[in-house]
Amino acid sequence: MDWLINLFTSTNSVAHIALLYAIVIAVGVLLGKIKFFGISLGVTFVLFAGIVAGHIGLTGPIDILTFVQDFGLILFVFMIGMQVGPGFFESFRKGGVTLNLLAVAAIMLNIAVMFACYFIFFDTSNPYNLPMMVGTLYGAVTNTPGLGAANEALASVFGDGNIPQIASGYACAYPLGVVGIIGATIAVRYICRVKLEKEEEALNDSANENMKVKPHMMHLKVTNQNLAGHNLIEIHDFLKRDFVCSRILHDGHVSIPNRNTIFEMGDQVFIVCAEADAKAIAAFIGEEIEVAWEKQDQPLISKRIRVTRSSINGKTLGQMHFSSLYGVNVTRVTRQGMDIFASSNLALQVGDKVMVVGPEDAVDHVAEVLGNSIKRLQAPNIATIFLGIIAGIIFGSIPFAIPGMPVAMKLGIAGGPLIIAILIGRYGYKAHLVTYTTTSANMMLREIGLVLFLASVGIKAGAGFWDTVVEGDGLKYVYTGFLITIIPILIIGTIARLKYKFNYFTIMGMLAGTYTDPPALAYANQICSKEAPAVGYSTVYPLSMFLRIFTAQLIILLCCGM
């Protein structure tokens, strides 16, 4: 039995380290699925499992725990950046600007309430109290990457041997943080006297999708005499609106038009354009009709084709010359579940679904050109991920000297990889980097990074957790964390509703995204049948995640480094 005892007690053994992480992660994930009043803590329970393990003496060498913690954090934030990158800058359009400004205000209020609680309830002469309040802040807003960024900044201020174990404050504040976000959001509903039925009706009456990219399909009859005798490219240039003509019925025969196809009076055409341009195009060409495409020179099919060939990545539809080279037309592109009108300047990306219309043999030829191999998409692009991590670590290590700060500012291993991942996710195709990763692969890598980070933080904090929380200021971390959670939500949620008149379901999503809290989004989705909560969440999530990480380091370096 000595071998079994050594397996659990020999901290320098690789088998012991692997077993330790396996036990902590498995127990934490399983316990995290248990729901209390319909709410579960999810994988964050791994942190609590790690604390228990560290408290009872199941631990490992600090340098190994630190390496696993940091590597897990890098992997976690990088995959988040890759996920949000494609929509990061688009989130600022139209109402997204206001929603992001409200999110920024909520984040600043979280920090303000934290400092108010620190000066009111804690001994400011103790240099460890402010770092512990930072841990409490990130537990209150349920933001794990911010905790990681704060830990990294603390290492540069206190040195490796005296780092405050702020995970204790995080653990105290987190449970009520999850509950408080949902509870405060419900309170906003009653403060503003919101009727859920009316909010649903308002969503039904509004256009939730961007009309500039949403494709619109219509059959038109050419009735404008000025178009007779002109080819398709002349009509396109004169109208100055982008559209695709995928079929034309002329003298009883259907064919695929190209740029040189001549329009005549009475021709019937199938037009795909952006929804916002539909009325203007119909008014210019002719009346909208119903057409049964019965007589055809050759059978025409429409097929969705996946872009899987890396050489296509970043090329625009105009550069591909589908109509002139292959005799087909592309009418729309589906990217991340959203249909986009196929304008000539739209850059294709690996993973896009392209709707192609034309003769069957021509469509099959285009499928070969674009790849259309699902098998290629099933494997994550490991090279892009690790090249991005290399660039992110280098970028995060660049020091920024700020007057008055004793330590140079760095984005660190949390902020650097996050920013690089966002940029790669949005612009990587321009450098011929294939950034497509299946949702399941992204989630797998992200969750592995998260549980490794949480387990490491918990194990390291476990030894001193009892003294810090039970015999120390644990109760203060609980109620101050609750105040940090609810006060900004009550203020910003009320302002978003009463001043800016946002739909309540959009506000719910915005608040969940600001706190980067999936349980709050899940609750919003349960009570709303539309996509408004998800839209609000995704609009503010990228900027909120970046600011949570950046402000964590800024607070530590500005306030704790003095």
Side-chain angles (χ1 to χ4, degrees), residues 522-544:
Y523 172 76
N525 284 332
Q526 286 178 0
I527 65 173
C528 179
S529 62
K530 302 293 185 296
E531 297 297 320
V535 171
Y537 184 92
S538 60
T539 298
V540 303
Y541 180 90
L543 180 62
S544 298

Side-chain angles (χ1 to χ4, degrees), residues 375-547:
K375 187 177 181 180
R376 288 187 182 180
L377 298 180
Q378 292 176 345
N381 294 285
I382 297 294
T384 297
I385 293 172
F386 281 96
L387 284 173
I389 288 175
I390 292 171
I393 292 173
I394 294 173
F395 182 64
S397 301
I398 299 174
F400 300 94
I402 299 176
M405 283 183 59
V407 180
M409 177 70 184
K410 296 179 182 179
L411 293 174
I413 60 171
L418 177 68
I419 292 177
I420 295 299
I422 289 173
L423 294 175
I424 289 177
R426 179 63 181 85
Y427 300 110
Y429 67 89
K430 293 187 176 182
H432 302 291
L433 291 174
V434 178
T435 60
Y436 177 81
T437 303
T438 62
T439 301
S440 58
N442 184 293
M443 287 296 296
M444 174 63 76
L445 292 172
R446 192 169 74 183
E447 291 299 291
I448 287 175
L450 177 59
V451 294
L452 289 176
F453 170 78
L454 289 173
S456 303
V457 171
I459 294 168
K460 290 168 67 176
F465 184 79
W466 183 265
D467 294 336
T468 303
V469 175
V470 178
E471 297 179 3
D473 293 326
L475 185 60
K476 286 185 180 180
Y477 300 143
V478 172
Y479 65 72
T480 55
F482 189 65
L483 293 176
I484 294 169
T485 300
I486 65 170
I487 291 176
I489 291 178
L490 296 176
I491 294 173
I492 297 301
T494 303
I495 292 174
R497 177 63 180 180
L498 298 182
K499 179 175 175 58
Y500 295 103
K501 311 298 182 184
F502 278 110
N503 186 280
Y504 176 69
F505 295 120
T506 302
I507 294 172
M508 293 184 75
M510 180 269 291
L511 293 172
T514 302
Y515 281 66
T516 63
D517 187 59
L521 176 63
Y523 172 76
N525 284 332
Q526 286 178 0
I527 65 173
C528 179
S529 62
K530 302 293 185 296
E531 297 297 320
V535 171
Y537 184 92
S538 60
T539 298
V540 303
Y541 180 90
L543 180 62
S544 298
M545 179 63 76
F546 170 74
L547 287 178

